[in-house]
Structure formats: structure tokens, C-alpha cells
Amino acid sequence: MNWWQSIILGLIQGLTEFLPVSSSGHLTIGREILGVEASDDLVFEVVVHAATVLATIVVFRKQIWKLLCGLFKFKYNDETDYILKICVSMIPVFIVGMFFKDYVEALFSSLLVVGIALLVTALLLFFSDKASGRRKADAPAARNGISYGQALTVGLGQAFAVIPGLSRSGTTISTGLLCGVKREDVAQFSFLMVLVPILGEAFLDIVGGDMAASSIAALPLILGFLSAFVSGLFACKVMIALVKKAKLKWFALYCAIVGLAVVCWCIF
């Protein structure tokens, strides 16, 4: 991977991370178009995901600061409740990361998997959009807009979304909507719940020496990080409102078109 390819792939990651269209799937497609060889490790994905996580922290800094201040009051309050629900949501992806990491990494070499997963994302977005549109506005809401059971369900969605092409934000938002969480509540929860898993994975790669063992040079990694961070800041600020308010069917249509194109490309 050279420097300009890393910049383009970083832009793809940053712009697609916050939309329900699968950033990992688009990275795989981008690699194929640019002729970038798939590495045995996922260091580049970890680096650019860490960049978009940093962008999320910058955009949600006030909410994160409020949560931390409430946590260190050392009593059960709204902030502690919200953080505990985020912890519950991380249980499924922790299990996948601990016991199925090798199986997941093997999927990143298959473009056909990406195409099929994008079609699944399209179906999830379409049906969740329909379900949320029929929900009664006066339905009772849980504390902080999400219950522990709903948090676990959204976490299960995140665990399945480690499959490339299955959008993490699309899957978590869809599962949240299908189990009764309001769109504005599940959108923020979806973006905040990913912070610890991705930063934790980046930390483990550094400590475990995977960064040093990467076949990608330092300059493309740095440029990819900066590209993903800047584009992620833009996408996070501009697109979060779109994810909250827009009809998901348009994202579903996009995923269906791209997914069908990828499947046809692989088959024919």
C-alpha cells in the first residue's frame, strides 16, 4: 500500500463509518478497485477505525465528559446507568473478539462475503425503518431511552457486524429500532458504544507487537489515520443528524445496489 492509496482508503473509512453502509465493506471494495493486496493482519483497519473513534470523541466530548463526571460521583445516577448499559452492550463483541477473531479475519479476504452482507444490511435497514414508522409515539421509554435488555440486543447486533459488509452502525441502529428504542436514542448509543472495543483492539495490537509485524509501512498508516480522522470529523458532524432523522430506506437502497453489484462481479 502506498501513500495515496492509504489516503483514499482513509477517506472511505471516515466518510462511511457513521453512515449505515459498512465502512469495513467499503474498505474491502476500495482495496479491490485500487489493487491493494489484502494483508494477513488488520492493522490498517484498526488504525483508521481508531481515527474515526477519535473523531467521535471530539464530536461527543461534552456528552462523554458529562458521563465521566457522573461516574466519578460514585453513585447510581443517569450517567452511571448509561455507562453500565454500554458495558452490557460490549459483552457480545468481547466474546467474538476473544474466541472467534481468526474466523472473522478470514472473512476480510472474501469480496463475495461483503456483497452478501451488504444485502443483509439493506434488509435490516428496510424492515427497521418500517417498524419504527409504525411505533406509537406515546410508548413508555426506559431510563436514558434504552433498557438493559435493549442494550444487550444492540450489542448482539454489533457482534454480528464484525462481518465485513454488515454495517456496524446500520446493524446496531436497526436492532435498536426493531426492539423499540427511539431513533435519536439508539443513534447516540450506537456511536458511543463502539469507543471502548475499537480503542481496546488498537491497544492490544500495539502491546502484542502486531503494529511492528505489519506489512504496511509507517507513512501510509499515519496518512491513513489523518485522512480518516479529518473525514470522520466532517462525517460525524454533518451526518449524525441525517442518520437520526432520515429515512433508512435510502441507505437500504444504496446497500442493495452496491451489494448486488459486488455479488454479480464475483459470480460473473
Side-chain angles (χ1 to χ4, degrees), residues 5 14 28 47 119-122 133 186 227:
Q5 290 171 328
T28 304
V47 167
L119 294 177
V120 175
T121 298
V186 76
S227 176

Side-chain angles (χ1 to χ4, degrees), residues 109-128:
S109 61
S110 174
L111 195 60
L112 181 60
V113 170
V114 172
I116 295 172
L118 280 169
L119 294 177
V120 175
T121 298
L123 290 174
L124 278 172
L125 293 173
F126 178 78
F127 286 114
S128 65

Side-chain angles (χ1 to χ4, degrees), residues 11-34:
L11 284 172
I12 292 173
Q13 163 64 25
L15 293 175
T16 58
E17 172 66 20
F18 301 104
L19 292 177
V21 295
S22 178
S23 58
S24 61
H26 279 73
L27 278 177
T28 304
I29 295 171
R31 271 206 186 97
E32 187 73 16
I33 294 174
L34 295 174

Side-chain angles (χ1 to χ4, degrees), residues 30 40 42 44 49 52 58 83-84 99-101 124 135 137 141-142 146 164 178 186 230-231 252-253 256:
D40 289 336
L42 297 179
F44 185 79
H49 273 86
T52 49
V58 172
I83 291 173
L84 287 174
F99 301 105
F100 303 100
K101 183 178 179 180
L124 278 172
R135 191 167 296 115
I146 187 169
L178 288 170
V186 76
V230 173
S231 59
L253 178 62

